[in-house]
Amino acid sequence: MRVAIAGIGLIGGSLALSLKRNGFAAEVIGVDTNETHCQKALALGIVDSIQPLEAAVDMADIIILAIPVDASISVLPGILDQINDHQIVVDMGSTKKDICQAIHDHPKRARFVASHPIAGTENNGPEAAFATLFLDKVGIICDRELSDAKALGVIEKLYKSLFMRLTYMESAEHDRHIAYVSHLSHITSFTLGLTVLEVEKDEKNIFDMAGSGFASTARLAKSSPAMWAPIFDQNAKNLSKVLTAYIKNLEMFKHLIDTGDRDKVFELMEEANDIRRILNGIELNENNKIKI
Amino acid sequence: MRVAIAGIGLIGGSLALSLKRNGFAAEVIGVDTNETHCQKALALGIVDSIQPLEAAVDMADIIILAIPVDASISVLPGILDQINDHQIVVDMGSTKKDICQAIHDHPKRARFVASHPIAGTENNGPEAAFATLFLDKVGIICDRELSDAKALGVIEKLYKSLFMRLTYMESAEHDRHIAYVSHLSHITSFTLGLTVLEVEKDEKNIFDMAGSGFASTARLAKSSPAMWAPIFDQNAKNLSKVLTAYIKNLEMFKHLIDTGDRDKVFELMEEANDIRRILNGIELNENNKIKI
C-alpha cells in the first residue's frame, strides 16, 4: 500500500513510522508546507520521499490528512476532485462536524472516511513523532454510513493494524463529547499556564515550588497553537457550553472556600474523586500498552 | 535516631520507608487514628511499632507530623508542652502560616521546624507509600530564624539524607506562592472531574473518548478530600485571589472563542506555551531522579 501523509508532525509522522514498521505501508510519501519539517522527516527516515500535495495524491492509495483542521477543510474538496474511484482519503482531525458538512454533497464523498485517533502528546513537529503512539488507543470513525464500504474497510484495517480499538459515532455527537474530554482540558491547562506565568513577573522563583502535580495539570499548555486555535474555532459552540458549566462549578468552589464551608468543599471533592473510576481505566491502557 | 511519625499515609509512610532504608532512622514509631492504616503499615513493614501519640512523643528524638493541616495545628501545642529540650518536631503540611502563628509564642517554639516537601501523588493511605517519593525533590523550610539552630540542622540533615534540595522562605510567602503552583492545580482538576462527571449522566460512554491528555489534567481530582479540605480552608484568602485571576483568564478565553477571535486565541496560547520553560525543568528532575 502506498500512503501519502499531509502534515508530517506528531500525528502524521507517528503514523508514517508505525505503518511502515508493521508493514501496512510499503511506501510513505510526505507532504508538508514547512520545508524544515520536510527535511527533518526525510533525515529521520519518517517518510520515503517528499512531494507536493497534488503529486502525492496522484501517487497514493490512501491519502491521510494530519494537518490543522481548517487546512483539512480547505484542501479536502480539491483532493476529492482529483482522486479516482479506488483511492481513499481519511483525516485525523479533532473536530468532525465541519469537515463532514464541507464535503457532504461532493460526488466523491464516499471515498472519504472521517476519523479521530485519541492519541497525542503535548509536543509537535516530526521530531515528536514515535512509532508506538497509537498502540491500543481508541480510534473514532464518524458518519460511517456516508463512506463506501470498501473505503471504510481499508481504514478500519489501518487502525486495527495499529492495535487500535474502533468506535463509531455521528460527527455532531463526536464534537459535543470531545469538547468535554479533550478540548476543555486544553483550555484549563492553557489558562493555568497563563495565570501562573502572569504572577511570575512579580514573584520570581515561584516555580521552584512547583512539583509533579502542577506539571501534570499544566502539561497541555505546551500544545501547539497552530493546531489548537482552529479546533477551538470549529468547536466554539460546544466549547462555550462546556466552559460555562466549568466556570459555574469553579465559581461554586470559590464561593464555598470564600465562605469557609469546609463540609461542602469536602463533599464536592468526594464527588470529584469518582473520576478515579475513569482514570484508572485510561492509565491501565497506558501502562499495559504493547511494548515493541 | 528514633523517629515518630504521626499519620502513616502517603507522606508519613513514604518518609518512614525512606528514612529506614537510608539508615537515618534506626526505628520508626507510627501513630495513626485510623486502625486499619495502623495494621496495614505494620503488615507492610512501614513502621516498627504503633503507639498512641503521647507514648510515641515520649520515645522519639524527632516527631514528624504528616497529618491533615488542621489536625497538626490542634496537636502541635500539646506536643511542644510534652517534649524536652533535645526533641524536635517538624511538620509536612502544605500550608505554613497558620501553624506558625498558632505556636508563635509557645515557650518551646524553637524546637519546631516548619517544613513542606514538594512531593506527593494523587493516592493516599499507607499502601500508596513508597521509599523513593522524596528523592531529588524540593524541601521548603519556613521561618527558619524561629527554630533553634541545632533543631534546624537535624531537619536539614534529614532532608539532605533523602537527596532533597532545600529552600527557605517566610511562611506567609510560602502560602501565597503555593496557592498558584499547587492549590490552584488541585481546584482546577477537581472542577474538571466534577464537570465531566455531571455530563456523563446524560452522555453515557463519553469517557471512551478520553485519552492521556484528559488523564493528565484530571489526575489530581483523585486526591484525598480529608487532606485537601483543611488546606483550602487555611489558605482561603490567597486561594480566592488566585481563583479570581484564573477565572478572569478563563472568561477571556471563552469570550475570544465565542466571538471567533482566532488570532487572539492563538496569541494567548503562544503566551501560555512559555510554561514549557518551567515544565521541562520539573520533568527533567522527575526523569533524572535517582533510582534505588
Side-chain angles (χ1 to χ4, degrees):
Chain A
M1 199 81 82
R2 197 184 253 174
V3 177
I5 301 181
I8 329 165
L10 168 69
I11 298 295
S14 296
L15 270 174
L17 288 169
S18 55
L19 294 176
K20 288 219 293 180
R21 181 132 148 203
N22 73 359
F24 185 95
E27 186 187 341
V28 174
I29 306 157
V31 179
D32 208 301
T33 52
N34 182 321
E35 185 54 36
T36 314
H37 283 190
C38 290
Q39 294 313 319
K40 277 189 186 154
L42 275 173
L44 293 167
I46 293 174
V47 297
D48 298 302
S49 66
I50 294 288
Q51 294 288 345
L53 180 61
E54 205 176 317
V57 169
D58 267 344
M59 296 160 72
D61 301 302
I62 303 175
I63 298 110
I64 299 177
L65 300 179
I67 50 182
V69 293
D70 55 341
S72 284
I73 288 184
S74 87
V75 297
L76 181 56
I79 294 174
L80 291 179
D81 291 343
Q82 190 188 334
I83 59 170
N84 64 34
D85 286 339
H86 301 287
Q87 290 176 287
I88 302 161
V89 190
V90 60
D91 87 308
M92 300 285 133
S94 187
T95 46
K96 298 266 67 79
K97 197 174 148 219
D98 282 8
I99 195 166
C100 286
Q101 269 180 347
I103 45 95
H104 187 267
D105 300 321
H106 195 286
K108 294 262 179 62
R109 168 63 182 90
R111 304 308 305 167
F112 172 66
V113 178
S115 90
H116 180 200
I118 306 294
T121 75
E122 69 280 22
N123 303 314
N124 60 74
E127 285 158 317
F130 58 101
T132 57
L133 175 61
F134 298 100
L135 301 189
D136 204 31
K137 302 287 166 63
V138 168
I140 300 171
I141 291 180
C142 291
D143 301 347
R144 66 171 148 176
E145 68 287 356
L146 301 179
S147 297
D148 172 89
K150 273 193 186 163
L152 180 64
V154 171
I155 298 308
E156 287 171 334
K157 266 190 197 159
L158 183 156
Y159 273 147
K160 284 179 185 169
S161 80
L162 299 173
F163 292 83
M164 294 183 77
R165 291 168 281 129
L166 285 168
T167 165
Y168 303 88
M169 59 186 72
E170 277 181 52
S171 52
E173 184 193 8
H174 168 277
D175 287 9
R176 207 168 62 239
H177 288 186
I178 206 73
Y180 280 93
V181 292
S182 164
H183 302 176
L184 174 60
S185 292
H186 282 81
I187 300 267
T188 62
S189 208
F190 275 118
T191 306
L192 184 64
L194 271 185
T195 308
V196 181
L197 286 165
E198 270 169 17
V199 80
E200 193 199 17
K201 288 167 195 159
D202 303 315
E203 309 271 17
K204 305 289 176 207
N205 308 324
I206 190 169
F207 286 114
D208 291 350
M209 298 169 69
S212 57
F214 179 77
S216 178
T217 43
R219 179 169 73 84
L220 298 180
K222 297 198 264 175
S223 303
S224 156
M227 177 178 161
W228 283 95
I231 291 172
F232 296 154
D233 192 45
Q234 287 188 16
N235 210 18
K237 271 195 186 158
N238 289 316
L239 200 41
S240 184
K241 202 178 145 194
V242 169
L243 281 171
T244 301
Y246 181 85
I247 291 170
K248 194 178 144 214
N249 282 330
L250 198 56
E251 297 271 18
M252 176 172 63
F253 242 121
K254 181 174 180 298
H255 173 74
L256 295 171
I257 289 170
D258 284 345
T259 54
D261 192 344
R262 245 177 70 175
D263 292 347
K264 190 81 184 103
V265 169
F266 188 97
E267 269 174 43
L268 277 185
M269 286 192 274
E270 268 199 323
E271 269 181 54
N273 278 172
D274 185 32
I275 204 75
R276 196 174 275 272
R277 172 171 58 84
I278 314 305
L279 294 183
N280 288 350
I282 299 173
E283 285 162 12
L284 208 65
N285 284 329
E286 295 292 310
N287 294 333
N288 287 351
K289 80 175 166 207
I290 302 101
K291 318 269 184 210
I292 52 173
Chain B
M1 198 81 82
R2 195 184 254 177
V3 176
I5 301 181
I8 329 164
L10 168 69
I11 298 296
S14 296
L15 271 174
L17 287 169
S18 56
L19 295 176
K20 288 220 294 181
R21 182 134 148 201
N22 73 358
F24 185 94
E27 186 187 343
V28 174
I29 307 158
V31 179
D32 207 300
T33 53
N34 181 321
E35 186 52 38
T36 314
H37 283 190
C38 291
Q39 294 314 317
K40 277 189 187 155
L42 274 174
L44 293 166
I46 293 174
V47 296
D48 297 303
S49 65
I50 294 288
Q51 294 288 345
L53 180 60
E54 205 176 317
V57 169
D58 267 344
M59 297 160 72
D61 301 301
I62 302 175
I63 298 110
I64 298 176
L65 301 178
I67 50 182
V69 292
D70 55 340
S72 285
I73 288 185
S74 89
V75 298
L76 182 55
I79 295 174
L80 291 178
D81 291 343
Q82 188 187 336
I83 59 169
N84 63 35
D85 287 339
H86 302 287
Q87 291 175 286
I88 302 162
V89 190
V90 60
D91 87 309
M92 301 284 133
S94 187
T95 47
K96 298 266 67 79
K97 196 175 148 221
D98 281 10
I99 194 165
C100 286
Q101 268 178 347
I103 45 94
H104 187 267
D105 300 321
H106 195 286
K108 294 262 181 61
R109 168 62 182 91
R111 304 308 304 166
F112 172 65
V113 179
S115 89
H116 179 201
I118 306 294
T121 75
E122 69 279 23
N123 303 313
N124 60 75
E127 285 158 317
F130 58 102
T132 56
L133 175 60
F134 298 100
L135 301 190
D136 202 32
K137 302 286 165 66
V138 168
I140 300 171
I141 291 179
C142 290
D143 301 346
R144 66 172 148 176
E145 69 287 357
L146 301 178
S147 297
D148 172 89
K150 273 193 186 164
L152 180 65
V154 171
I155 299 307
E156 287 171 335
K157 265 191 196 159
L158 184 155
Y159 274 148
K160 284 179 186 169
S161 80
L162 300 174
F163 291 84
M164 294 184 76
R165 291 168 282 131
L166 284 169
T167 165
Y168 303 87
M169 59 186 73
E170 275 182 54
S171 53
E173 184 193 8
H174 168 278
D175 287 9
R176 207 168 62 238
H177 287 186
I178 206 73
Y180 280 93
V181 292
S182 165
H183 302 174
L184 174 60
S185 291
H186 282 80
I187 300 266
T188 62
S189 209
F190 275 118
T191 306
L192 185 64
L194 272 185
T195 308
V196 181
L197 286 165
E198 270 168 17
V199 80
E200 192 200 17
K201 289 168 196 158
D202 304 315
E203 310 271 15
K204 304 289 177 207
N205 308 324
I206 191 169
F207 285 114
D208 291 349
M209 298 169 68
S212 57
F214 179 77
S216 178
T217 42
R219 178 170 74 84
L220 298 179
K222 297 198 264 174
S223 304
S224 156
M227 176 178 162
W228 283 96
I231 291 172
F232 296 154
D233 191 46
Q234 287 188 16
N235 209 17
K237 271 195 188 159
N238 289 316
L239 201 40
S240 184
K241 202 178 145 195
V242 169
L243 281 171
T244 301
Y246 181 85
I247 291 170
K248 195 179 144 213
N249 281 329
L250 197 56
E251 297 270 18
M252 177 172 61
F253 242 122
K254 181 175 178 300
H255 173 74
L256 296 172
I257 288 170
D258 284 346
T259 54
D261 193 344
R262 246 177 68 176
D263 293 346
K264 191 80 184 102
V265 169
F266 187 97
E267 269 174 44
L268 277 185
M269 286 192 274
E270 269 198 324
E271 268 180 57
N273 277 171
D274 185 34
I275 203 76
R276 195 175 277 272
R277 173 171 57 85
I278 315 305
L279 294 183
N280 289 351
I282 300 174
E283 285 161 13
L284 207 66
N285 284 330
E286 294 292 310
N287 294 332
N288 287 351
K289 78 175 167 206
I290 302 99
K291 319 270 184 208
I292 51 172

